[in-house]
Amino acid sequence: MAEPSVFEGFGLKFLYPDNWVLVERAKDEGDQGVMFDLPSGGFVSLETLPVTREDEAILSEVDLMLRDQYEEVERESVVLPGADPDELAMDLRFYYLDLMVISRVVLLDAPDSTREQMPIAGRILVQMQAESRDFDANELVFSALLKQIRDTP
């Protein structure tokens, strides 16, 4: 069995499956986030956000971005196992090429280690998106990733 890969950046360190591909960011995208492509075609992205941004404004931006790209988008607030009290999460569902796609967006507090490196960072936005069967197949991995972020000192 293959060993998991390790990501280290902006105060975070976590394990992820070795078959996920770390996507190089363009220079104009900065170094405040990271994205992984899943072998099944989905992705996981993390972005640090300034403390000055309001949570609902952030979630609404993601919602509107998807609504601009896809005709019908369903939005549902969700409470995830192990979530901190101030953590917000929503599932967005839409069809793409006759496939149901789930985009789970989670907004959680940046750990102290992130704030030490990036004092303005207050929250981390995690987006996990895949076709519904692939999303279900990866949900335990997504949960483990969120737990690692939550448990970062």
Side-chain angles (χ1 to χ4, degrees):
M1 185 166 180
E3 290 290 317
S5 298
V6 178
F7 171 79
E8 280 190 80
F10 43 89
L12 296 176
K13 180 178 179 179
F14 56 81
L15 302 175
Y16 65 94
D18 68 335
N19 63 351
W20 288 12
V21 177
L22 180 61
V23 178
E24 292 295 320
R25 293 176 71 105
K27 295 276 187 217
D28 63 346
E29 291 180 329
D31 62 352
Q32 290 133 16
V34 65
M35 188 162 121
F36 303 91
D37 282 338
L38 281 59
S40 59
F43 69 87
V44 173
S45 71
L46 289 88
E47 293 290 329
T48 60
L49 300 172
V51 72
T52 56
R53 303 278 316 275
E54 290 186 24
D55 290 350
E56 189 50 46
I58 294 164
L59 295 178
S60 292
E61 278 181 30
V62 175
D63 186 342
L64 289 172
M65 181 183 66
L66 287 176
R67 287 179 193 280
D68 283 347
Q69 294 177 1
Y70 307 100
E71 287 187 19
E72 292 184 33
V73 178
E74 294 177 17
R75 177 179 172 171
E76 175 187 11
S77 294
V78 293
V79 177
L80 302 175
D84 292 328
D86 57 348
E87 189 173 303
L88 298 175
M90 68 178 178
D91 282 354
L92 298 157
R93 291 181 184 83
F94 55 91
Y95 283 95
Y96 177 70
L97 301 176
D98 295 329
L99 298 171
M100 170 65 80
V101 177
I102 299 172
S103 185
R104 176 164 291 157
V105 180
V106 183
L107 195 55
L108 55 145
D109 281 334
D112 291 341
S113 56
T114 298
R115 293 175 193 228
E116 286 169 12
Q117 285 189 18
M118 308 168 72
I120 195 168
R123 302 283 265 166
I124 294 178
L125 178 73
V126 181
Q127 184 175 10
M128 302 159 282
Q129 182 170 304
E131 184 273 321
S132 62
R133 288 174 296 197
D134 292 330
F135 189 95
D136 293 344
N138 283 292
E139 196 158 11
L140 287 176
V141 178
F142 297 156
S143 293
L145 176 69
L146 288 171
K147 180 172 178 15
Q148 293 178 80
I149 295 169
R150 289 180 193 121
D151 292 349
T152 299

